[in-house]
């Protein structure tokens, strides 16, 4: 069972991704030691997660293989993913659609409306430092 409260307008998704020859095809950021939720940071081009099409940059991981991520450290999350076999089962909370594209752009390094993302993370109680460099 998931702990915490979720508003009615949030999307909670259950996703299974099958490992391919190079892995699951996504990387994560955050963890208890950073006082930040575990979230999808990047998707590997042509990787298993991108080909599956359901997981997105910015999705918050609520459960990994049935384990709640509340209070979970980054290394523990990686261990659960790597040692869980050829399928990873994720329960994720989706960013509001208005910000998900901007989060993808930030992950690529584009200079976009970062202040809107900061406002959203503060509204959700997430303390995440965002850095931004212009090219």
């Amino acid at each position: 069972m998931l702990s915490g409260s979720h508003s009615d307008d949030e999307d909670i998704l259950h996703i299974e991704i099958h490992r391919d020859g190079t892995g699951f095809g996504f990387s994560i950021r955050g963890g208890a030691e950073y006082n930040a939720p575990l979230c999808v940071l990047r998707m590997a081009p042509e990787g298993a997660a991108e080909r599956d099409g359901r997981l997105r940059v910015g999705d918050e991981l609520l459960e990994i293989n049935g384990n709640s991520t509340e209070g979970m450290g980054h290394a523990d999350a990686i261990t659960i993913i790597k040692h869980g076999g050829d399928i990873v089962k994720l329960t994720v909370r989706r960013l509001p659609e208005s910000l998900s594209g901007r989060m993808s752009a930030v992950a690529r390094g584009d200079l976009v409306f970062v202040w809107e993302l900061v406002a959203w993370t503060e509204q959700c109680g997430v303390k995440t430092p965002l850095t931004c460099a212009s090219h």
Side-chain angles (χ1 to χ4, degrees):
M1 177 167 204
L2 297 175
S3 58
S5 62
H6 307 291
S7 69
D8 291 338
D9 60 358
E10 293 176 328
D11 289 332
I12 305 297
L13 305 167
H14 303 280
I15 301 170
E16 288 187 10
I17 299 173
H18 296 260
R19 183 191 314 257
D20 65 14
T22 60
F24 291 111
F26 68 96
S27 61
I28 61 173
R29 68 167 174 81
E33 65 272 35
Y34 303 109
N35 194 31
L38 290 159
C39 294
V40 177
L41 175 64
R42 290 189 185 91
M43 304 283 283
E46 304 300 319
E50 184 177 87
R51 284 193 316 275
D52 177 87
R54 293 176 289 170
L55 194 64
R56 294 185 190 164
V57 169
D59 283 352
E60 180 183 351
L61 305 180
L62 301 176
E63 289 185 355
I64 304 169
N65 292 337
N67 298 284
S68 170
T69 61
E70 188 172 341
M72 184 181 287
H74 187 92
D76 292 334
I78 297 296
T79 298
I80 292 168
I81 292 168
K82 284 187 174 183
H83 297 274
D86 289 335
I87 298 174
V88 64
K89 297 178 182 182
L90 303 172
T91 301
V92 302
R93 177 179 10 215
R94 174 80 23 98
L95 275 172
E97 193 64 35
S98 62
L99 293 176
S100 61
R102 289 180 175 89
M103 184 64 184
S104 296
V106 170
R108 289 192 316 266
D110 297 346
L111 183 58
V112 292
F113 302 99
V114 174
W115 59 89
E116 289 182 17
L117 185 59
V118 170
W120 181 84
T121 58
E122 289 174 353
Q123 173 187 350
C124 294
V126 177
K127 304 279 192 241
T128 304
L130 293 174
T131 58
C132 181
S134 59
H135 299 22

